Amino acid sequence: MTQALKDPKTVRRRHDREIVSLAVPAFGALVAEPLFVIVDSAIVGHLGTPQLAGLGVAAALLMTAVSVFVFLAYATTAAVARRVGAGDLASAIRQGMDGIWLALLLGVAVVAVTLPTAPWLIDIFGASDTAAPYAITYLRISSLGIPAMLIVLAATGVLRGLQDTRTPLYVAIGGFAANAVLNVGLVYGAGFGIAGSAWGTVIAQCGMAVAYVIVVVRGARKHGASLRPDAAGIRASAQAGAPLLVRTLSLRAVLLIATAVAARLGDAEIAAHQIVLSLWSLMAFALDAIAIAGQAIIGRYLGAGDADGARQVCRRMVQWGLASGVVLGLLIVAARPLFLPLFTGDSIVHDTLLPVLLVVALSQPIAGVVFVLDGVLMGAGDGRYLAGAMLVTLAVFAPVALLVPTLGGGLTALWWAMTLMMAVRMLTLWHRTRSGLWIVTGASR
């Protein structure tokens, strides 16, 4: 029996089952979140072009503000998973509550800044005179839901750390459905216009936060964990998340630089860039789902003191990431004739897109490895290295990308620069995982 458990095929099958059971629901939850903005856009779009333009600017600001704090999910997942591996569920949930309290504090701070500065923020983003009033209205109302959005991030991290990605999927589906119904009812039924869309989103996000809190509170009561805010625990959560914040901001800077360069190349290029970036983001959801599984599983193994198990699952995760990247790359190539007409009928944009899509397809195996190793090191709580590696990547990418307009390489050259960025990330992450320095066992790093 013991020999069977150690058989390589048996071990691989066990790892595969764990990866699939966590990654598939995680993918569903990841895809559900962007659908909030898509539904809002579809409903508000029928009010008029200025309203839709205002929503576009405000939603971009809102999503940027929330995505900056994605470390609330990542850091909480790793910390909770370690304590689950150590067999201390009470401490795991207590750690999760610290993350939720931190999310609430950060959310209140963001609201306090956003409400008075909304007109200035909208102006900075260059909204037109006709769109600006709608953008300000949407941003001010929807910002009231930011605390709930951040609580959702932190609580999602708690459940992932507890090896549960199904509950976040169910909550995301419920939130999406509620958002759609509320938007239709408030925008058209109640006649609130774009304000109704914003209130619908706020109510849906608050409902999701309440659902998560109920689940976490039940777990806390079951295992005797305290629900009260603990200053030391909240401070520890903030310290663990700070390096991941640096990583996220560096990655955001990469995407902003790429968009700015594309805008300088011409209208057809920026249009094509936005299409490719949307597709690239969709592919990222699939790969990120595997990374989320890696965060939860690696954290649990290290918490249990099983360094060999962590190494084995890391190797298997890399194989999954590489294979997934190959499949996604082939899908991009095969589906080009099908999805290009969905985005634009402009032949110039089509011609610009075709070579870029080939570059993106070729880069998907690299992206698969990057996402997985990113998840592995997050699960290990190796945030400082991730922050440093991303800063190095930004330092390499920025000058190369900024030279593209000067050298006349066009959009294809810009996306070769994006591929270089991913290759640098892969090399830095691969070096770390090969070194073994990320393997620190125990209930805390």
Side-chain angles (χ1 to χ4, degrees):
M1 181 68 176
T2 303
Q3 187 64 33
L5 291 174
K6 293 181 179 180
D7 178 68
K9 290 184 179 179
T10 302
V11 171
R12 282 199 301 271
R13 283 196 294 268
R14 186 175 73 247
H15 290 158
D16 289 346
R17 284 195 298 269
E18 282 188 307
I19 293 166
V20 171
S21 66
L22 291 171
V24 172
F27 175 70
L30 288 169
V31 170
E33 283 299 315
L35 292 178
F36 273 71
V37 176
I38 293 174
V39 167
D40 288 3
S41 299
I43 293 171
V44 171
H46 291 285
L47 295 174
T49 300
Q51 289 91 332
L52 183 58
L55 170 67
V57 173
L61 279 165
L62 187 68
M63 295 310 296
T64 298
V66 174
S67 63
V68 162
F69 297 106
V70 72
F71 70 84
L72 289 166
Y74 294 157
T76 304
T77 297
V80 171
R82 275 185 175 271
R83 285 159 176 78
V84 169
D88 189 353
L89 287 177
S91 177
I93 296 174
R94 172 66 264 178
Q95 182 74 37
M97 284 304 305
D98 291 335
I100 291 173
W101 281 113
L102 174 62
L104 179 60
L105 292 173
L106 290 173
V108 170
V110 173
V111 172
V113 171
T114 304
L115 287 177
T117 61
W120 176 76
L121 291 170
I122 295 300
D123 184 60
I124 288 293
F125 264 62
S128 67
D129 291 340
T130 54
Y134 298 110
I136 293 169
T137 297
Y138 189 90
L139 181 60
R140 278 182 165 160
I141 296 172
S142 60
S143 68
L144 298 176
I146 288 177
M149 295 180 194
L150 298 191
I151 288 173
V152 166
L153 281 178
T156 299
V158 176
L159 295 180
R160 288 174 182 170
L162 293 171
Q163 317 296 295
D164 176 9
T165 56
R166 290 184 180 274
T167 300
L169 172 61
Y170 300 147
V171 173
I173 292 172
F176 168 71
N179 179 64
V181 172
L182 287 166
N183 266 260
V184 172
L186 294 175
V187 172
Y188 297 111
F192 290 164
I194 195 169
S197 177
W199 280 117
T201 300
V202 170
I203 294 169
Q205 292 285 355
C206 288
M208 292 171 66
V210 169
Y212 273 119
V213 169
I214 289 173
V215 172
V216 175
V217 167
R218 284 178 178 171
R221 288 177 175 171
K222 179 179 179 180
H223 298 286
S226 173
L227 297 172
R228 294 179 180 179
D230 176 65
I234 293 172
R235 188 164 53 250
S237 294
Q239 290 172 347
L244 295 179
L245 175 61
V246 173
R247 168 202 167 273
T248 301
L249 290 173
S250 300
L251 183 56
R252 280 276 157 189
V254 165
L255 298 178
L256 288 173
I257 290 170
T259 300
V261 170
R264 292 174 61 188
L265 296 174
D267 290 345
E269 284 77 7
I270 186 60
H273 176 74
Q274 288 303 113
I275 293 171
V276 174
L277 195 59
S278 298
L279 182 64
W280 191 72
S281 299
L282 180 61
M283 300 299 101
F285 285 134
L287 299 175
D288 203 25
I290 303 173
I292 287 169
Q295 292 172 33
I297 297 170
I298 290 292
R300 194 187 76 233
Y301 271 97
L302 294 177
D306 189 353
D308 288 338
R311 288 190 186 92
Q312 289 174 5
V313 78
C314 175
R315 284 195 293 270
R316 191 57 178 163
M317 296 290 297
V318 169
Q319 292 169 1
W320 268 82
L322 183 61
S324 299
V326 170
V327 170
L328 290 174
L330 292 173
L331 283 175
I332 291 172
V333 174
R336 280 183 307 161
L338 299 176
F339 65 71
L340 279 180
L342 296 177
F343 288 102
T344 179
D346 190 323
S347 60
I348 297 176
V349 176
H350 275 200
D351 292 341
T352 305
L353 272 172
L354 289 173
V356 177
L357 288 173
L358 290 175
V359 174
V360 173
L362 289 171
S363 70
Q364 287 307 297
I366 298 173
V369 175
V370 167
F371 273 80
V372 165
L373 294 180
D374 213 34
V376 166
L377 296 183
M378 282 184 189
D382 204 7
R384 288 188 179 181
Y385 183 84
L386 288 171
M390 198 63 226
L391 286 171
V392 169
T393 301
L394 175 60
V396 172
F397 170 77
V400 174
L402 292 173
L403 280 173
V404 167
T406 304
L407 299 177
L411 192 65
T412 303
L414 176 60
W415 275 90
W416 275 119
M418 290 287 285
T419 302
L420 171 65
M421 178 270 295
M422 294 301 288
V424 173
R425 288 186 71 189
M426 184 179 72
L427 290 173
T428 55
L429 298 176
W430 184 262
H431 171 73
R432 185 64 167 183
T433 51
R434 290 282 293 177
S435 73
L437 295 175
W438 58 279
I439 299 177
V440 179
T441 57
S444 60
R445 185 176 174 86

